[in-house]
Amino acid sequence: MVSTFFVILHLLLSMRRFIEGLDMRRNTIIITILITLWVVSFSTTGCRNTRPSDDLEASADSTVTDSVAEEEEDILSDIPMPKAADELFDDFIFNFAANKKLQKSRIAFPLPVFDDKKVIRKIERGHWKMENFFMRQGYYTLLFNDIEQLEVVKDTTINHVVIEKISLEKGDVNQYVFDRLSGQWMLTSIHNITIKESSNKSFLEFYQRFSSDEEFQIESMSDFVTFTAPDPDDDFNSITGSMVPEQWPAFKPSLIPEGTIYNIIYGNPETEETEKENDEIIFLIRGIANGMESEMTFKKKGEHWKLMKFNS
């Protein structure tokens, strides 16, 4: 419930640039949503005052969570997306992933699904299932080759974006391809590939193990790693310095994503870049509604990836 509330809160915050100058009716709608979410949250909490057996409680919580999620999606479906949200892909995708009605209107049905570069099926409108992407996990990840690429997120001239849903456990990558057609972002196709076919193959194969094996994390660190981390003696400040691998357990980021991660590729990568894999990766983690942001910089030295610095 909390993570879903944050999703909707972020959706509203992402529209803040459009709220100024809106009429009273639009502002009233936004206020109504927040009140509704508070009421739903209160009623859901109230239902958990009694404590049945663990199995029954888990089942009930799952049912309530699904029901609340559907209610919130229905509420958002009545809110039109500001036209200006099509200017920036990040503004668009938060709306797309949270609004069921908008999502169906922004898919080029029948949607082709590719496997091994061949169309294996086409999804009709009636068979489409709501795709929330990273919204319910509360954060998303990005892979960049250098610090300059971070600016591409703000580029309003980009007309092609790919969201990669990467299953580290299965070794699969689902690529959701978006194109801006006649000024509107549309999901135009889905491509299924494996990590071995990914342009980030070497790094992702390395990160599969790094994400879940602390001993391997220590082995994969540079001799001295520069870092910025929360000060253990002061909740309001951070400390910056360098550390040796043995100090990793004490200072490592609180969140190292594992299982399923997402990557967003902005624009069309140059052919030369896709043929040659990069030897540096900036792994960026961004919270959806809590302002959290951390990054880890890895470099490939010989055949091995090494963590060079991190900021948490």
Side-chain angles (χ1 to χ4, degrees), residues 13 29 42 49 61 107 128 148 162 177 204 236 239 257 303:
L13 292 175
I29 291 175
F42 177 82
N49 288 336
D61 283 351
I107 299 175
W128 177 257
E148 287 76 20
V162 177
V177 179
L204 291 175
F236 299 99
I239 55 176
E303 296 298 316

Side-chain angles (χ1 to χ4, degrees), residues 14-77:
S14 71
M15 296 181 189
R16 65 186 181 278
R17 72 186 66 178
F18 312 114
I19 292 177
E20 185 176 354
L22 293 178
D23 58 22
M24 181 59 69
R25 179 177 176 274
R26 186 74 58 84
N27 288 329
T28 301
I29 291 175
I30 293 174
I31 294 170
T32 301
I33 292 175
L34 291 174
I35 294 174
T36 303
L37 290 176
W38 179 84
V39 172
V40 171
S41 175
F42 177 82
S43 61
T44 302
T45 304
C47 291
R48 295 178 185 165
N49 288 336
T50 58
R51 297 189 61 81
S53 69
D54 291 343
D55 289 344
L56 289 176
E57 183 177 11
S59 176
D61 283 351
S62 175
T63 302
V64 169
T65 300
D66 291 342
S67 176
V68 170
E70 290 178 5
E71 284 185 49
E72 291 170 355
E73 287 174 2
D74 289 340
I75 292 172
L76 284 173
S77 292

Side-chain angles (χ1 to χ4, degrees), residues 182-224:
S182 301
Q184 293 188 330
W185 284 105
M186 300 286 293
L187 175 61
T188 56
S189 64
I190 299 175
H191 296 251
N192 298 324
I193 64 173
T194 65
I195 283 179
K196 293 183 181 297
E197 300 172 278
S198 169
S199 59
N200 292 311
K201 168 191 171 183
S202 175
F203 176 76
L204 291 175
E205 289 180 334
F206 155 79
Y207 188 77
Q208 280 176 310
R209 184 176 175 187
F210 181 90
S211 64
S212 58
D213 186 336
E214 186 169 289
E215 287 187 10
F216 184 67
Q217 291 170 7
I218 295 174
E219 293 173 11
S220 303
M221 299 182 68
S222 179
D223 292 339
F224 290 95

Side-chain angles (χ1 to χ4, degrees), residues 1-21:
M1 175 63 206
V2 174
S3 62
T4 311
F5 175 80
F6 281 157
V7 166
I8 297 171
L9 180 59
H10 179 85
L11 177 63
L12 296 176
L13 292 175
S14 71
M15 296 181 189
R16 65 186 181 278
R17 72 186 66 178
F18 312 114
I19 292 177
E20 185 176 354

Side-chain angles (χ1 to χ4, degrees), residues 243-306:
M243 55 178 283
V244 295
E246 290 74 18
Q247 294 175 295
W248 172 250
F251 293 101
K252 71 176 185 178
S254 58
L255 176 61
I256 299 180
E258 57 182 308
T260 298
I261 64 174
Y262 291 84
N263 181 37
I264 304 179
I265 304 172
Y266 297 85
N268 289 296
E270 297 296 330
T271 305
E272 313 85 71
E273 294 180 358
T274 57
E275 290 177 352
K276 182 180 179 182
E277 191 170 8
N278 295 286
D279 59 4
E280 179 173 329
I281 292 289
I282 297 174
F283 188 86
L284 188 65
I285 307 164
R286 283 183 171 166
I288 289 180
N290 56 11
M292 181 273 290
E293 180 167 316
S294 65
E295 65 182 60
M296 294 181 283
T297 300
F298 298 87
K299 283 190 177 181
K300 193 174 185 181
K301 296 188 174 183
E303 296 298 316
H304 304 285
W305 285 92
K306 295 290 184 180

